[in-house]
Protein backbone atom coordinates (compact mmCIF):
# COMPACT_ATOMS: atom_id res chain seq x y z
CA UNK A 1 0.00 0.00 0.00
CA UNK A 2 1.21 3.51 -0.80
CA UNK A 3 2.23 5.84 1.98
CA UNK A 4 -0.53 8.28 2.85
CA UNK A 5 0.10 12.01 2.64
CA UNK A 6 -1.69 15.00 4.10
CA UNK A 7 -1.86 18.22 2.08
CA UNK A 8 -3.05 21.44 3.70
CA UNK A 9 -4.31 24.34 1.59
CA UNK A 10 -6.20 27.52 2.31
CA UNK A 11 -9.01 27.90 -0.21
CA UNK A 12 -11.77 26.13 -2.10
CA UNK A 13 -10.08 26.84 -5.45
CA UNK A 14 -6.87 25.29 -4.11
CA UNK A 15 -8.78 22.19 -3.05
CA UNK A 16 -10.27 21.75 -6.53
CA UNK A 17 -6.97 22.56 -8.28
CA UNK A 18 -4.92 20.12 -6.20
CA UNK A 19 -7.55 17.39 -6.64
CA UNK A 20 -7.41 17.82 -10.42
CA UNK A 21 -3.61 17.95 -10.45
CA UNK A 22 -3.27 14.73 -8.44
CA UNK A 23 -6.14 13.07 -10.31
CA UNK A 24 -4.30 13.68 -13.58
CA UNK A 25 -1.47 11.59 -12.08
CA UNK A 26 -3.89 8.75 -11.17
CA UNK A 27 -3.59 9.51 -7.46
CA UNK A 28 -6.55 8.78 -5.23
CA UNK A 29 -7.67 11.72 -3.13
CA UNK A 30 -10.01 12.45 -0.24
CA UNK A 31 -10.92 16.16 -0.08
CA UNK A 32 -12.27 17.91 3.00
CA UNK A 33 -13.22 21.56 3.10
CA UNK A 34 -13.27 23.70 6.23
CA UNK A 35 -17.03 23.33 6.70
CA UNK A 36 -16.74 19.54 6.67
CA UNK A 37 -13.92 19.60 9.19
CA UNK A 38 -14.89 22.24 11.72
CA UNK A 39 -18.38 23.60 11.51
CA UNK A 40 -17.76 25.64 14.63
CA UNK A 41 -14.09 26.50 13.98
CA UNK A 42 -12.97 23.75 16.33
CA UNK A 43 -9.31 22.92 15.63
CA UNK A 44 -9.72 19.47 17.18
CA UNK A 45 -11.86 18.56 14.18
CA UNK A 46 -8.78 18.88 12.01
CA UNK A 47 -6.77 16.32 13.95
CA UNK A 48 -9.77 13.95 14.03
CA UNK A 49 -10.12 14.27 10.24
CA UNK A 50 -6.44 13.43 9.73
CA UNK A 51 -6.44 10.53 12.19
CA UNK A 52 -9.56 9.05 10.59
CA UNK A 53 -7.92 9.24 7.16
CA UNK A 54 -4.67 7.63 8.34
CA UNK A 55 -6.32 4.86 10.33
CA UNK A 56 -9.12 4.03 7.95
CA UNK A 57 -9.03 1.29 5.38
CA UNK A 58 -9.46 4.04 2.82
CA UNK A 59 -7.24 3.32 -0.17
CA UNK A 60 -6.76 6.99 -1.04
CA UNK A 61 -3.15 8.14 -0.93
CA UNK A 62 -3.87 11.82 -0.25
CA UNK A 63 -5.98 13.79 2.17
CA UNK A 64 -6.47 17.31 0.84
CA UNK A 65 -7.56 19.46 3.74
CA UNK A 66 -8.69 23.03 3.27
CA UNK A 67 -8.11 25.23 6.28
CA UNK A 68 -9.99 28.37 7.23
CA UNK A 69 -7.20 30.70 6.10
CA UNK A 70 -3.42 31.01 5.72
CA UNK A 71 -2.76 31.51 9.43
CA UNK A 72 -4.84 28.50 10.46
CA UNK A 73 -3.08 26.40 7.85
CA UNK A 74 0.40 27.42 9.02
CA UNK A 75 -0.53 27.01 12.69
CA UNK A 76 -1.94 23.53 12.03
CA UNK A 77 1.15 22.53 10.06
CA UNK A 78 3.46 23.18 13.00
CA UNK A 79 1.12 21.42 15.42
CA UNK A 80 1.11 18.36 13.19
CA UNK A 81 4.87 18.51 12.69
CA UNK A 82 5.45 18.82 16.44
CA UNK A 83 3.40 15.79 17.44
CA UNK A 84 2.92 13.46 14.49
CA UNK A 85 5.74 12.64 12.11
CA UNK A 86 4.37 9.34 10.87
CA UNK A 87 3.26 10.78 7.53
CA UNK A 88 4.43 13.49 5.14
CA UNK A 89 2.76 16.88 5.56
CA UNK A 90 2.65 19.16 2.55
CA UNK A 91 1.34 22.69 2.60
CA UNK A 92 0.35 24.72 -0.48
CA UNK A 93 -0.32 28.45 -0.02
CA UNK A 94 -0.38 31.76 -1.88
CA UNK A 95 2.88 33.67 -1.43
CA UNK A 96 1.04 36.96 -0.86
CA UNK A 97 4.16 39.00 -1.69
CA UNK A 98 6.26 37.42 1.05
CA UNK A 99 3.69 37.73 3.85
CA UNK A 100 3.11 33.97 3.89
CA UNK A 101 6.80 33.14 4.19
CA UNK A 102 7.22 35.65 7.01
CA UNK A 103 4.20 34.21 8.82
CA UNK A 104 5.50 30.67 8.28
CA UNK A 105 8.93 31.52 9.67
CA UNK A 106 7.54 33.44 12.66
CA UNK A 107 5.22 30.57 13.59
CA UNK A 108 8.06 28.05 13.12
CA UNK A 109 10.35 29.99 15.46
CA UNK A 110 7.56 30.37 18.00
CA UNK A 111 6.64 26.65 17.96
CA UNK A 112 9.95 24.96 17.15
CA UNK A 113 12.50 27.55 18.34
CA UNK A 114 14.72 26.92 15.31
CA UNK A 115 14.85 27.15 11.54
CA UNK A 116 13.65 23.95 9.90
CA UNK A 117 13.27 25.15 6.31
CA UNK A 118 15.55 24.35 3.39
CA UNK A 119 14.73 26.54 0.42
CA UNK A 120 14.98 24.49 -2.79
CA UNK A 121 13.57 27.10 -5.17
CA UNK A 122 11.70 30.38 -5.03
CA UNK A 123 8.50 28.37 -4.48
CA UNK A 124 9.57 25.25 -2.57
CA UNK A 125 10.70 24.85 1.04
CA UNK A 126 11.39 21.39 2.47
CA UNK A 127 11.60 20.55 6.16
CA UNK A 128 15.16 19.68 7.14
CA UNK A 129 14.45 16.39 8.91
CA UNK A 130 11.41 15.41 6.87
CA UNK A 131 12.42 15.73 3.23
CA UNK A 132 9.01 14.52 1.99
CA UNK A 133 7.34 17.27 4.00
CA UNK A 134 7.42 20.92 3.10
CA UNK A 135 5.71 24.05 1.87
CA UNK A 136 5.00 25.19 -1.67
CA UNK A 137 4.15 28.84 -2.26
CA UNK A 138 2.35 29.88 -5.44
CA UNK A 139 4.34 32.74 -7.04
CA UNK A 140 1.14 34.84 -6.88
CA UNK A 141 -2.38 33.88 -5.88
CA UNK A 142 -3.86 30.93 -7.74
CA UNK A 143 -6.79 33.03 -8.93
CA UNK A 144 -4.47 35.69 -10.42
CA UNK A 145 -2.37 33.07 -12.17
CA UNK A 146 -5.46 31.31 -13.57
CA UNK A 147 -6.75 34.66 -14.87
CA UNK A 148 -3.38 35.42 -16.48
CA UNK A 149 -3.15 32.03 -18.22
CA UNK A 150 -6.80 31.41 -19.17
CA UNK A 151 -8.26 34.92 -19.21
CA UNK A 152 -11.01 33.66 -16.89
CA UNK A 153 -11.73 34.83 -13.34
CA UNK A 154 -12.37 31.96 -10.94
CA UNK A 155 -13.89 34.27 -8.34
CA UNK A 156 -16.70 35.33 -10.66
CA UNK A 157 -17.68 31.77 -11.65
CA UNK A 158 -20.37 30.05 -9.62
CA UNK A 159 -20.51 26.31 -9.43
CA UNK A 160 -17.80 23.76 -8.87
CA UNK A 161 -18.19 22.19 -12.33
CA UNK A 162 -17.41 25.48 -14.09
CA UNK A 163 -14.49 26.13 -11.76
CA UNK A 164 -13.15 22.65 -12.54
CA UNK A 165 -13.34 23.38 -16.26
CA UNK A 166 -11.35 26.59 -15.85
CA UNK A 167 -8.79 24.91 -13.61
CA UNK A 168 -8.45 22.00 -16.04
CA UNK A 169 -7.77 24.49 -18.83
CA UNK A 170 -5.17 26.14 -16.58
CA UNK A 171 -3.47 22.78 -15.91
CA UNK A 172 -3.39 22.07 -19.65
CA UNK A 173 -1.52 25.36 -20.22
CA UNK A 174 0.36 25.27 -16.95
CA UNK A 175 3.30 27.54 -16.20
CA UNK A 176 6.52 25.83 -15.07
CA UNK A 177 5.79 26.21 -11.36
CA UNK A 178 2.77 23.88 -11.68
CA UNK A 179 5.09 21.07 -12.77
CA UNK A 180 7.29 21.79 -9.74
CA UNK A 181 4.19 21.68 -7.51
CA UNK A 182 3.11 18.35 -9.00
CA UNK A 183 6.55 16.86 -8.34
CA UNK A 184 6.48 18.20 -4.78
CA UNK A 185 3.10 16.59 -4.13
CA UNK A 186 4.09 13.24 -5.64
CA UNK A 187 7.49 12.83 -3.94
Amino acid sequence: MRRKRVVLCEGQHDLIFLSLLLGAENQSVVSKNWGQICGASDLSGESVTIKNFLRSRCTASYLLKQDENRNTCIHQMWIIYSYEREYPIKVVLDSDNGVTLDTLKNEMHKKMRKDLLNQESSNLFRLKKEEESGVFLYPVTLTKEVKRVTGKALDSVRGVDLQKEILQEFISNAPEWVHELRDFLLH
Side-chain angles (χ1 to χ4, degrees), residues 136-153:
F136 189 92
L137 301 177
Y138 300 134
V140 296
T141 65
L142 179 62
T143 53
K144 285 181 183 175
E145 193 70 351
V146 168
K147 172 91 171 156
R148 184 187 69 76
V149 170
T150 67
K152 299 172 184 168

Side-chain angles (χ1 to χ4, degrees), residues 26-57:
N26 296 317
Q27 299 298 311
S28 52
V29 174
V30 172
S31 296
K32 296 286 184 178
N33 66 36
W34 182 251
Q36 293 170 316
I37 297 167
C38 308
S41 298
D42 177 7
L43 287 179
S44 66
E46 293 195 60
S47 56
V48 168
T49 298
I50 292 170
K51 286 178 183 173
N52 287 342
F53 169 71
L54 294 172
R55 292 185 181 139
S56 74
R57 296 182 189 265

Side-chain angles (χ1 to χ4, degrees), residues 63-78:
L63 170 63
L64 297 180
K65 191 172 77 54
Q66 177 210 342
D67 280 311
E68 183 178 36
N69 55 43
R70 172 187 59 224
N71 293 340
T72 304
C73 196
I74 291 170
H75 176 75
Q76 192 65 16
M77 174 201 171
W78 292 118

